Amino acid sequence: MGSASVGSASPGPAVPGRASVGSARVGARASVGAAAPVRGTGTVARAAVRPGPSVLGPDDEGSIGGGRSVGGKDKSKAAKRRRRTNILTAAAAVLVILLGAGVVGGTYFFDDVDLPSPVTEDQSNVILDTKGSVLAKLGDQNRTVVPEAQINKVVEHAVAAAEDKNFYKHHGIDMKGIVRAAWNNFTGGDQQGASTITQQYARHAADLKEISYNRKIREAVIARKMESKYNKDQIMGMYLNYIYLGKGRYGIQAAAQGYFGKSVTTPAGQKNAVTPYEAAVLASIIKQPEPTATHKGYDPTINPVDAKARWEYTMKNMLEMGWISQQVYDKRVYPQVKKSTNSSAKSTDGKPVGMIMRHVRAELAEMGISQQEFDKGGLTVTTTIDPAVQKAAEEAGSRKSESSPMNGKPASYQAAVIGIDPKTGRVLGYYGGDDPTGIDYGGYMRSDTLKIDGGQSPGSTFKIYTLAAALKEDISFKTRWDGTKLRRNGTKISNAGADPGAVCKGKIKFCDLETATVKSYNFPFYWIADAIGRDKVIAAARDAGVSHMFTDDGKLVDLTKTDKDVWEKKGYFDNEVAFGQYRVVPLEHAEGVATIVGNGVHHDAHFIKSVSRVDPETGRKKLVGKENVAGKPVFNAEQMSNLQSVMKEIVEVDDRDLRGGQEGIAKSGTWEFKEGSGDTWFVGGMPQLAATVWVGGAKNKVELKESNGRDMFGAGTPSKIWKKFLDAVIKAKDLEREDFPERVETGNPDSPYANGQAPPVEKPQDNGGDCVLGFIGPDCNQNNGGGNGNGDNGNGDNNGGGNNNGGGDNNGGDAGGGNNDGGGGNNDGDDGGDDNGGGDNDGGGTPEQLPTQPTLTPQDAGD
């Protein structure tokens, strides 16, 4: 039979027995897309390219007009008429496709049917940690588009062997298949799509979804037009990036990674390259990747028997077509397939790390990557998350972790753990809750709007910014402050039931700022804000990294877009801001903490290191965004060394020394709720990592209790989480000890801002001479090494043979209410007995409940 040739290309010999079709006017002869002859013939099975049940099996032709019942032929007159119509339609389709030139139908189908553009396939966005491991794949479809030139030929040949072994020979349609399908459909035999690989892609590109013979005609025409414009490799590449292969995997690359953990872009013979046997498994799935009511499909993890039979068919065709050698065929062994669950785009479901994806999305938007670009996919995002630090954060903060101090706590309790590199601002570890679709307890970022919708009162941990502001105003830690002075409205400043006079000495209870910081008394901080202006405290927090703060009535104030004039005019904040009354976002507070740990240099906390996209033409990754790790000095380094040194004392007092002698600095904080504690914190870190820990109520505030029934304070469970987190990081990363800068004492001890006085100089008592060896000199019995001499407030005066050896500062003294005279820890009375003397709430007692204050609801509960 001669060849009808339609097109506008240069005349040339046609392949015998085949129609060669172009996409322009009818009348000219052209030979388009001819390929080298290949051996053998065979029936082409239609690919099921989208998941979904069908009672008709893998082909989607269906029973047109209801002419054939499931149980057998419908022999009614109506059915016979429909079959006659079907055969006439099918015959017309074949005639149009074969003879199109010179007939009205040919003109209609070849001129009226447009050739669609290749589809730009939606892909997943791959999110990686710092080590290159996949944290998540986000997007509507789990697909990674790869250029055809990078796909192993063995994969392409396997797919052709399984789906269309004459692919490299025909011109888009299989004539024998069409005639056979038309005859079977007319006679009531098996429904056959007879779709070639080109037709399958044409159907996808033109979005031809309805089941009809008209669709088949249009599909065939588009396939012929595609073959005139694209070569076989291009068509194969488009097809392989589009096909569905089960378990939420779209495209051959996602399938190779999902079923075998390998890549189709790795050259054959190299590590991680797909073998011919694995390629045949992937190709065999295409026909029907998902089970239906009538057939289980060819996914080997679901239907291993039929999957292997289909694999044998594919391997045989690969041998027959000369795409593998006889030796390879003879050594065939069915490959081991990974047993995995549905690989949907939401691969972080049920994992705490999923919470990080919200922050990734927000930062992509800040980089100028629109939601539309994100939804289109194809991005590779390398995050700042360090897997070792992330694991440590989750194990320290999650109640599900058996080693966490939170384990065994009520389900109404929740923790957040955030680790930031103070030298770069990179968020290395982030635990904001166990449910990635629930509340983000670290950043309070909504999953739907990516906007901040909450925060927590930082309590005394906010004092680090008050101190930064004070140091900037030349206030020394040696300045003294009056603990008896009432607020300007006449109310008393609460110190969580502690009596500053017991520690600060003197009947009028003047206390130096350093002692007040370690003991976490509130009164100096109130008066610092009053003296220098509370706007300077807020500005210090903002400069450190706290961008938002809530007012008492719940209004979210953007500190970066407002200033003193707005804060004072609106009456947003009072002096209580100095000790943490107003709610902040834990992640932003963690950024501020990192600034203090980082010697006063501020870095924006961030989750993304770099973003790249694969160029579909070259296959090369192109950088489209990257991090900015440039820091900005916001506080004087010497002043920060002064503050850090005081914060070191708090680590020692709370008995939270780090692994291997690593230096650490910290500040605890607690804010009251009802009759107990509602928010508890422990913040600080080491030079290598800033760590912020919050413990509070899940969803709603609750009264937090320790396992012994006592109120929880920052120096309790939060400090234990903090230590566990940092110790785990030190061990996992084998960190060498790194010290903070040596202390430089700054500021004016006689600052005019201070409202206290120096204690009176006590005249030395003349005891008539030295007591030598316990028996020379008067009153030796009063000064011997065996006396009780606990002294005022547990300080002990020369007991045990030395100055103040009676038990350390304020041990077991009046402020703590404990009895650890001469041997307890140094923080009794700070939190009313929380974790004092090296244990949990040793020697303490429940702090006095604070009187209701009209300007302070709820109260700061100290530390």
Side-chain angles (χ1 to χ4, degrees), residues 160-477:
E163 288 296 303
D164 181 6
K165 70 179 182 180
N166 291 320
F167 172 72
Y168 293 102
K169 184 176 181 180
H170 62 62
H171 299 286
I173 55 177
D174 187 321
M175 297 304 172
K176 292 181 180 179
I178 287 180
V179 173
R180 181 171 57 252
W183 175 255
N184 286 340
N185 293 342
F186 167 68
T187 60
D190 292 337
Q191 295 289 327
Q192 293 186 9
S195 295
T196 65
I197 284 175
T198 311
Q199 284 177 270
Q200 291 178 45
Y201 184 76
R203 183 187 317 145
H204 167 60
D207 197 24
L208 301 174
K209 296 179 180 178
E210 76 279 3
I211 300 173
S212 67
Y213 285 101
N214 178 64
R215 188 206 77 178
K216 295 300 298 183
I217 296 173
R218 297 178 69 84
E219 176 187 296
V221 171
I222 293 172
R224 296 302 294 266
K225 286 189 172 185
M226 288 189 68
E227 294 265 350
S228 71
K229 185 173 183 178
Y230 305 105
N231 61 40
K232 292 291 185 179
D233 288 341
Q234 289 173 314
I235 294 171
M236 177 62 80
M238 290 185 285
Y239 177 76
L240 290 180
N241 279 310
Y242 129 74
I243 52 174
Y244 178 70
L245 291 105
K247 288 187 169 61
R249 296 161 182 154
Y250 292 81
I252 198 69
Q253 176 73 342
Q257 291 173 339
Y259 287 104
F260 297 109
K262 295 186 176 182
S263 172
V264 298
T265 63
T266 304
Q270 293 187 17
K271 184 180 180 181
N272 201 41
V274 174
T275 68
Y277 311 115
E278 292 166 340
V281 171
L282 298 175
S284 299
I285 295 172
I286 298 173
K287 182 176 182 180
Q288 186 184 334
E290 302 279 359
T292 67
T294 57
H295 193 273
K296 292 182 179 180
Y298 298 99
D299 183 334
T301 65
I302 298 174
N303 186 10
V305 175
D306 288 351
K308 187 172 183 180
R310 179 75 178 164
W311 175 78
E312 288 283 6
Y313 164 81
T314 302
M315 292 295 299
K316 182 178 180 181
N317 282 349
M318 291 177 75
L319 175 65
E320 180 182 337
M321 303 305 291
W323 292 326
I324 58 172
S325 66
Q326 185 69 50
Q327 183 181 19
V328 171
Y329 179 77
D330 292 341
K331 291 183 178 180
R332 69 190 184 282
V333 175
Y334 195 81
Q336 181 70 35
V337 178
K338 291 172 61 179
K339 292 183 179 180
S340 57
T341 56
N342 191 295
S343 180
S344 66
K346 295 180 180 179
S347 60
T348 60
D349 282 358
K351 302 176 183 178
V353 73
M355 200 71 71
I356 294 169
M357 300 308 120
R358 301 184 194 183
H359 299 278
V360 169
R361 294 276 300 277
E363 287 185 25
L364 287 172
E366 291 175 359
M367 289 181 175
I369 297 173
S370 67
Q371 184 64 43
Q372 183 179 6
E373 288 180 276
F374 181 85
D375 292 341
K376 197 65 182 175
L379 300 174
T380 297
V381 181
T382 300
T383 69
T384 59
I385 297 299
D386 184 302
V389 181
Q390 180 64 26
K391 180 181 179 182
E394 293 177 15
E395 291 185 348
S398 175
R399 288 189 309 105
K400 296 181 178 180
S401 169
E402 293 183 358
S403 61
S404 170
M406 290 292 291
N407 187 256
K409 295 287 190 293
S412 58
Y413 288 26
Q414 179 63 51
V417 182
I418 304 169
I420 298 177
D421 182 349
K423 299 179 179 68
T424 61
R426 292 170 180 161
V427 180
L428 304 183
Y430 184 87
Y431 172 74
D434 292 302
D435 181 5
T437 62
I439 297 174
D440 174 10
Y441 293 100
Y444 286 92
M445 181 176 285
R446 290 180 59 92
S447 60
D448 52 351
T449 63
L450 302 182
K451 294 181 179 179
I452 295 171
D453 66 352
Q456 301 294 350
S457 298
S460 292
T461 61
F462 202 83
K463 293 174 182 176
I464 60 176
Y465 309 124
T466 308
L467 290 169
L471 291 168
K472 194 171 184 178
E473 295 299 315
D474 203 33
I475 295 175
S476 166
F477 275 108

Side-chain angles (χ1 to χ4, degrees), residues 637-656:
E638 290 185 347
Q639 293 173 1
M640 288 299 100
S641 75
N642 201 8
L643 174 55
Q644 290 165 351
S645 294
V646 175
M647 293 174 69
K648 284 182 194 176
E649 298 178 44
I650 298 173
V651 174
E652 296 168 359
V653 161
D654 287 323
D655 193 24
R656 295 292 175 247

Side-chain angles (χ1 to χ4, degrees), residues 576-630:
E576 282 77 7
V577 70
F579 48 88
Q581 173 175 338
Y582 303 98
R583 290 181 295 141
V584 298
V585 179
L587 176 59
E588 294 182 358
H589 191 18
E591 181 177 325
V593 171
T595 300
I596 303 297
V597 174
N599 307 319
V601 179
H602 172 249
H603 298 267
D604 291 328
H606 59 282
F607 290 82
I608 295 179
K609 290 183 71 174
S610 65
V611 184
S612 61
R613 179 184 285 114
V614 175
D615 187 321
E617 300 297 328
T618 65
R620 295 179 180 177
K621 286 187 177 181
K622 180 181 179 181
L623 188 68
V624 295
K626 64 178 181 178
E627 66 181 345
N628 178 11
V629 296

